[in-house]
Amino acid sequence: MIEILQQIINGMAIGGVYVLIALGLTTVFGILGIAHFAHGSVSMFGGYLTFFLVVMWGLPLALAILIALVVGFLLGVLIELLAYRPVRNANHINAFIVALGLTMMVEGLNLEFFGHEQVVIPTDFSRVFNIGGVTIPELRLYVILAAALLIAAMTIFVEKTKTGQAIRAVAENRDAAILMGVNVNTIPLVVFSISTALGVCAGVMVGALFAIAPGIGEGLVVKGFAVLILGGLGSIPGAVVGGLVLGITEALAAGFISSAYKDVIAFVAMILVLLVRPQGLMGKA
Amino acid sequence: MLKVSDLRVSYGPIEVIHGISLEVKEGECVALIGANGAGKSSTLKAICGLVPAKAGTISFEGQDITNQSGHAIVRAGITMCPEGRQVFPQMSTVQNLRMGAYARSDNEQASDLEDMMNMFPILRERAHQAAGTLSGGEQEMLAIARALMARPKLCIFDEPSLGLAPKIVAEVGATIERIKKMGKTILLVEQNSLMALRLADRAYLFEAGEIVLSGTGEELQSHPEVAKAYLGH
Amino acid sequence: MKLTTLTAALALAGTTALAAEKTLDIGVSDALTGGAAVYGLPQANAVKMAAEEINAAGGIKVGDDTYMLNVIAYDDKANPTEASNSVRKLIDRDGVKYILGFCCSGATGAVASFIENEDAVMLVGNAAERSITTREIPNLVRTRPPADYTGAAAGTFVAQKGHKKVAVLGALDIGFYASYVDAFEKELEKAGGEIVTRESFGLKDRDMTPQLTKIRELGPDAILVVGYVEPAAFIYRQAVELGIDVPRFGFTSGSEEQFLRVATSEQMEGVWDLRPTELTLLSASDNGIAYHANYSEKYGIAPSPSSPYAYDQTYALKDAIEAAGTVDDTEAVAAALRELPVPDEVVMQYLPVDGKMFDVNGQAYTSNGAFQWQGGNWVFVQDLPSDAAAYSAFLSTID
Ligand SMILES: Nc1ncnc2c1ncn2[C@@H]1O[C@H](COP(=O)(O)OP(=O)(O)OP(=O)(O)O)[C@@H](O)[C@H]1O
Ligand SMILES: [Mg+2]
């Protein structure tokens, strides 16, 4: 029993990261119908930047994260304006190719600026809590809590604010949203900046809890899309449930079935879910 | 109030509106009738900025709004209740209604919401249900109410009776009648030409992207060709 | 104007002075970027440094000629296809006959599969996959011993410590790590011990808590971690976080700096690394200390522990060319390598077989060491019980 609980806790940290990545992907997909592959690499850029500010400039972690977040917002705006907007009305394959090109570009920039060695964002959180045999390192706990907080903030934003509702409206029916007076030119900017900021948070979490290295972002974006499909395309609750399910399934698969095949098992589980619910866990049929 | 002159609209290389002119005066109810594919919806979409006008001008309250972006036209005071209702399916009834007031910045939205619930009691019952799960008639009421939430000066309805049971069609007709009595200016497109012409002060007949006939509602009702082709007598 | 003339004259003078010497191009194919660059880049640097030293000391003497070394290094990203391409480029375009570097097994194996048909000699460094030297390719030698040579020594060592139930967590989809564990297991079982579980992780995995949680439930006497430094550091840290307090043994060859980026010194305390002795200052010879100092000075960063495999290649090549008395006849140079005594300048501590640096398989053997993390540093504790001659005989039986 303790082992199962421990594995669930183990899976929640990476699950939280998956959720944050998937939230960004799912809102972008919902609004623009594009698969924003570069999201993982852009997220890792945020993690790298935080690392750089903490280690090279000696800034306090909180300040570094704040700066990275602001940069994330701006970067999101730039990506939308410069990369995706020009191909918005073109064939979907164009946006697809832009996304791939952008991924390579951002990966290249990361490599150029931050090198090929893994970087770990240093933190002071090294305590370990032990609750009845289940151990939780302090940092992991904070990552899980921060992810929960961000998910809650995102949900409140989308459900309770006017801009959030406009984002949903555009995702659900673009023309009708225009008829409500929504400016469909600014909404993608908002979506990209929020997505990118969430991605930056995920990048910081990965960088503090694990490590950032070339290729990690690409791996995460694949998981992020798996979460999207698992949870239901464009669905925010789907991203939350899907991310946690994927993270915990991976941990349970590695712990109870086979560590060598944990990714395979997680994907098989995903396919099984889709056989029963083709629209995803939270998707509308 | 609204003046359309020599409007042309095309989708890609294909022109579907070939230079039409029409006018809606303040307080009027104007109907556009015509067969499927005649170009009524395309005209409305051009007015609302959903499709570009290739040529011609559209002006509203003396301002040129030709090819302005859709959200600016909404702010100018034109709201459309689109063909096929187009509610936001996963948002609740209340959320849909609030979206209707998206372009407003005053603080009377809550009381307007209350008014809509009173005007359409069914919406109060369905307040927190996802709009996509409402029946067709309920969705139409929601779409109309949502349009009214914008407090438009000109209210455009594109086929509000589409696909509804006869009883509901009558209800929709009565609703538009009420909106007319509220003093709203209305531009109405209807397949149900009889209903449209009864409601309308004036009407235009579309055929293949052109206006072939115009006049008061009664005039068109009694016009032999209209009667034969569209009213089914 | 005057200045330009002067410069031109000087340049001309320089060329004439050098004209008596010849240049020998040597190639390096290694991972200069990407994940494996932690191993590959220092190797390429080491070759360049050795070449400069050799040039400064008067070059390579063949008959009346003196050759100055010129290093052409290509990035193979540790990728088999890229490595094959860069070696082809070196041989076909640059006319290179001697190719050094080779940090990683996949890329090295790909080149090894065709090098026998080339008029070239291949000197392998850090790549640890055993099969690279089991086919007795006459024009290939390797300075680093195969992983299972070290694995067997490690197994004996852990068994001698009295551990019976060992849990393994490793990059087991990589051949040489798996063969380290196999050889380890064989020695452990001889002493009545057993491996209770073999858990895997991938190159990019950084969260090993699921595997460690499973291991924690099994209650082993010790754990053995085999894999690249970067994931291994996370395993050591996460094992502590999960409250696993049994001895931790490993085969990772990471520097202090690399581990401290991930784990605190307290989290690392007591961890063993059972590996070829390689370059650690505590176990180093005078050569090793000088190498460390020169490399640090030249590149502004400490050399990786495995980088001398490539440095030593360069000196072995020099001695072999001089012994063969030719730079053109690669067969003669390859043969001379097989007969070579250990050069004086090498950094690693080779255990010669029959007095020769490379055995009949072209394989060199170093001593293996048990290193332990004590108070922030890797401390050389003792040699592992390694048997180069016996392993060499065993290697000859495999094909
Ligand atoms: N998005 C589009 N792309 C291409 N052609 C279109 C598009 N929308 C409409 N059309 C064409 O334009 C013409 C006019 O269509 P429109 O929808 O305006 O007619 P309508 O009068 O509203 O018909 P209905 O009564 O069936 O709604 C039709 O021939 C239609 O096929
Ligand atoms: Mg229509």
Side-chain angles (χ1 to χ4, degrees):
Chain A
M1 191 58 212
I2 285 183
E3 193 178 359
I4 294 183
L5 279 178
Q6 180 74 58
Q7 294 293 21
I8 289 173
I9 295 283
N10 292 343
M12 273 173 73
I14 192 68
V17 170
Y18 291 162
V19 172
L20 294 185
I21 294 280
L23 278 178
L25 290 174
T26 214
T27 39
V28 167
F29 185 86
I31 294 286
L32 300 167
I34 54 177
H36 177 33
F37 286 113
H39 189 56
S41 310
V42 172
S43 304
M44 291 309 117
F45 172 81
Y48 272 125
L49 183 65
T50 308
F51 167 82
F52 181 82
L53 294 174
V54 170
V55 173
M56 301 295 161
W57 284 14
L59 296 187
L61 183 63
L63 182 61
I65 294 176
L66 201 69
I67 295 175
L69 271 178
V70 172
V71 172
F73 270 109
L74 297 178
L75 201 61
V77 169
L78 283 183
I79 289 173
E80 203 281 324
L81 278 180
L82 300 181
Y84 290 117
R85 183 158 300 205
V87 295
R88 187 170 54 183
N89 296 321
N91 197 314
H92 261 63
I93 189 84
N94 296 25
F96 180 75
I97 289 165
V98 165
L100 290 184
L102 193 64
T103 310
M104 285 193 254
M105 210 176 89
V106 177
E107 279 287 310
L109 283 177
N110 283 344
L111 200 63
E112 191 61 35
F113 287 146
F114 305 107
H116 53 78
E117 277 201 53
Q118 78 173 16
V119 307
V120 178
I121 299 170
T123 61
D124 298 330
F125 312 123
S126 57
R127 282 183 295 167
V128 176
F129 304 114
N130 188 325
I131 304 161
V134 176
T135 54
I136 312 175
E138 191 181 6
L139 178 59
R140 232 167 231 263
L141 184 65
Y142 294 158
V143 163
I144 294 170
L145 291 178
L149 213 67
L150 286 166
I151 293 165
M154 179 74 180
T155 309
I156 290 171
F157 171 73
V158 169
E159 287 300 320
K160 299 286 177 219
T161 70
K162 216 165 156 175
T163 311
Q165 288 287 288
I167 290 172
R168 272 193 78 175
V170 174
E172 291 189 17
N173 191 329
R174 192 165 185 276
D175 276 355
I178 296 175
L179 292 175
M180 303 299 112
V182 175
N183 184 340
V184 287
N185 291 323
T186 54
I187 291 295
L189 294 174
V190 176
V191 166
F192 264 93
S193 52
I194 291 174
S195 299
T196 310
L198 284 176
V200 165
C201 292
V204 171
M205 289 174 181
V206 170
L209 197 51
F210 308 119
I212 311 169
I216 299 276
E218 285 157 320
L220 268 178
V221 93
V222 171
K223 293 282 169 68
F225 277 111
V227 168
L228 235 63
I229 296 168
L230 181 63
L233 280 175
S235 159
I236 288 175
V240 177
V241 174
L244 288 175
V245 165
L246 184 64
I248 292 170
T249 308
E250 281 179 2
L252 293 174
F256 292 102
I257 310 176
S258 157
S259 46
Y261 296 107
K262 75 172 162 54
D263 287 346
V264 179
I265 296 164
F267 272 91
V268 168
M270 189 183 106
I271 291 166
L272 289 180
V273 169
L274 293 180
L275 283 177
V276 183
R277 277 187 72 83
Q279 71 276 32
L281 289 171
M282 294 285 167
K284 298 282 183 298
Chain B
M1 183 177 232
L2 177 78
K3 213 172 159 87
V4 175
S5 358
D6 302 321
L7 175 71
R8 288 175 186 273
V9 173
S10 43
Y11 297 104
I14 301 162
E15 187 178 275
V16 297
I17 303 292
H18 313 292
I20 58 147
S21 302
L22 60 86
E23 188 179 4
V24 182
K25 300 201 185 79
E26 179 142 20
E28 250 188 342
C29 177
V30 173
L32 310 182
I33 58 171
N36 288 118
K40 307 174 298 284
S41 294
S42 300
T43 304
L44 298 187
K45 283 180 181 168
I47 293 169
C48 294
L50 292 180
V51 301
K54 198 178 80 177
T57 57
I58 303 167
S59 68
F60 183 65
E61 293 187 316
Q63 302 257 4
D64 184 9
I65 57 162
T66 322
N67 286 332
Q68 289 221 357
S69 52
H71 60 93
I73 292 171
V74 174
R75 282 177 177 74
I78 300 179
T79 291
M80 174 155 82
C81 176
E83 188 173 345
R85 307 179 262 283
Q86 315 295 341
V87 295
F88 302 112
Q90 286 168 42
M91 294 167 73
S92 70
T93 299
V94 169
Q95 286 176 322
N96 267 273
L97 289 173
R98 290 216 178 95
M99 272 314 291
Y102 180 82
R104 287 169 54 184
S105 50
D106 59 86
N107 49 18
E108 290 166 22
Q109 294 165 33
S111 66
D112 278 16
L113 186 69
E114 196 54 32
D115 290 350
M116 286 307 141
M117 300 278 206
N118 291 337
M119 189 166 164
F120 305 99
I122 188 70
L123 297 185
R124 193 187 298 282
E125 281 174 42
R126 304 275 182 262
H128 298 289
Q129 200 170 320
T133 63
L134 268 53
S135 76
E138 289 162 357
Q139 286 190 24
E140 188 60 54
M141 296 307 163
L142 174 57
I144 294 172
R146 186 180 64 177
L148 292 176
M149 281 297 287
R151 288 195 177 173
K153 295 174 192 158
L154 170 64
C155 208
I156 300 179
F157 297 98
D158 193 355
E159 305 214 19
S161 71
L162 186 74
L164 299 180
K167 183 167 161 273
I168 314 288
V169 173
E171 210 175 301
V172 168
T175 303
I176 293 173
E177 186 76 51
R178 270 164 77 190
I179 295 169
K180 192 178 151 187
K181 294 232 169 74
M182 283 158 64
K184 295 267 180 214
T185 311
I186 294 172
L187 178 58
L188 170 69
V189 164
E190 255 303 340
Q191 280 285 309
N192 186 332
S193 308
L194 189 60
M195 178 173 115
L197 294 177
R198 278 186 188 147
L199 284 167
D201 300 317
R202 286 187 310 109
Y204 295 89
L205 175 62
F206 274 63
E207 249 170 44
E210 288 177 63
I211 292 178
V212 293
L213 208 61
S214 63
T216 64
E218 289 93 44
E219 280 168 11
L220 262 72
Q221 271 186 69
S222 54
H223 192 282
E225 271 188 30
V226 176
K228 194 164 153 241
Y230 300 101
L231 303 178
H233 349 141
Chain C
M1 195 63 200
K2 241 182 205 156
L3 202 67
T4 331
T5 330
L6 191 69
T7 323
L10 275 176
L12 215 68
T15 340
T16 4
L18 285 168
E21 298 160 358
K22 297 183 174 173
T23 299
L24 175 64
D25 288 335
I26 61 174
V28 169
S29 174
D30 225 325
L32 307 182
T33 63
V38 280
Y39 300 103
L41 190 60
Q43 286 211 135
N45 288 341
V47 171
K48 286 179 191 157
M49 190 169 96
E52 280 176 27
E53 288 173 10
I54 291 169
N55 291 347
I60 298 182
K61 299 192 173 50
V62 179
D64 295 334
D65 294 327
T66 301
Y67 287 92
M68 292 292 154
L69 294 177
N70 174 47
V71 180
I72 304 174
Y74 290 137
D75 181 12
D76 66 24
K77 301 186 171 69
N79 171 302
T81 314
E82 302 255 1
S84 302
N85 288 343
S86 59
V87 167
R88 284 254 64 90
K89 247 180 2 194
L90 284 167
I91 295 175
D92 299 338
R93 197 184 67 190
D94 303 322
V96 165
K97 290 184 190 295
Y98 304 99
I99 305 171
L100 298 79
F102 300 105
C103 71
C104 293
S105 294
T108 308
V111 177
S113 69
F114 68 80
I115 200 71
E116 190 167 356
N117 306 319
E118 303 294 331
D119 181 19
V121 176
M122 173 176 181
L123 297 99
V124 180
N126 183 60
E129 170 69 46
R130 183 174 70 196
S131 65
I132 294 167
T133 48
T134 53
R135 282 181 293 132
E136 290 177 34
I137 301 168
N139 57 342
L140 178 150
V141 295
R142 170 164 60 178
T143 44
R144 183 202 177 131
D148 58 339
Y149 163 72
T150 308
T156 310
F157 176 76
V158 171
Q160 282 171 3
K161 289 248 165 214
H163 300 305
K164 296 284 178 212
K165 289 166 65 188
V166 178
V168 170
L169 180 47
L172 299 179
D173 53 345
I174 296 173
F176 71 90
Y177 285 124
S179 69
Y180 180 100
V181 174
D182 289 343
F184 179 98
E185 182 174 37
K186 226 157 109 190
E187 299 305 317
L188 186 67
E189 283 177 349
K190 276 188 203 158
E194 59 166 338
I195 287 179
V196 290
T197 183
R198 285 177 185 239
E199 297 299 321
S200 281
F201 58 84
L203 202 56
K204 285 181 188 159
D205 286 346
R206 294 294 180 269
D207 188 3
M208 263 58 90
T209 49
Q211 293 92 318
L212 286 166
T213 300
K214 179 175 176 186
I215 288 173
R216 185 174 77 178
E217 288 305 300
L218 292 170
D221 300 338
I223 61 175
L224 174 69
V225 177
V226 297
Y228 294 113
V229 192
E230 300 181 323
F234 280 95
I235 296 176
Y236 291 138
R237 169 174 126 190
Q238 289 162 359
V240 173
E241 289 172 346
L242 285 170
I244 297 176
D245 55 5
V246 298
R248 291 165 291 167
F249 296 92
F251 172 52
T252 60
S253 307
S255 66
E256 283 89 357
E257 196 195 352
Q258 285 171 319
F259 279 103
L260 286 176
R261 256 180 242 151
V262 173
T264 63
S265 184
E266 295 77 61
Q267 287 168 332
M268 287 298 295
E269 190 61 28
V271 169
W272 291 91
D273 207 24
L274 309 178
R275 57 176 171 85
T277 309
E278 297 187 342
L279 179 70
T280 41
L281 288 177
L282 284 155
S283 69
S285 56
D286 292 345
N287 284 355
I289 292 164
Y291 172 80
H292 191 282
N294 294 340
Y295 186 106
S296 306
E297 155 113 17
K298 183 166 164 57
Y299 296 109
I301 181 174
S304 68
S306 63
S307 61
Y309 287 127
Y311 180 82
D312 295 350
Q313 291 171 341
T314 323
Y315 278 100
L317 178 64
K318 170 183 183 280
D319 284 8
I321 289 174
E322 291 184 344
T326 171
V327 291
D328 300 317
D329 184 351
T330 57
E331 276 181 38
V333 174
L337 275 170
R338 291 283 212 274
E339 296 297 323
L340 204 68
V342 178
D344 295 334
E345 297 89 345
V346 297
V347 169
M348 299 298 198
Q349 293 159 29
Y350 294 96
L351 303 176
V353 177
D354 293 336
K356 294 163 189 165
M357 177 170 183
F358 299 102
D359 69 2
V360 290
N361 306 296
Q363 181 63 59
Y365 302 94
T366 64
S367 61
N368 291 307
F371 297 82
Q372 192 175 30
W373 189 285
Q374 295 175 2
N377 292 295
W378 287 117
V379 173
F380 175 73
V381 177
Q382 65 176 90
D383 275 323
L384 290 179
S386 323
D387 190 340
Y391 185 86
S392 173
F394 160 72
L395 191 63
S396 300
T397 65
I398 306 172
D399 39 28

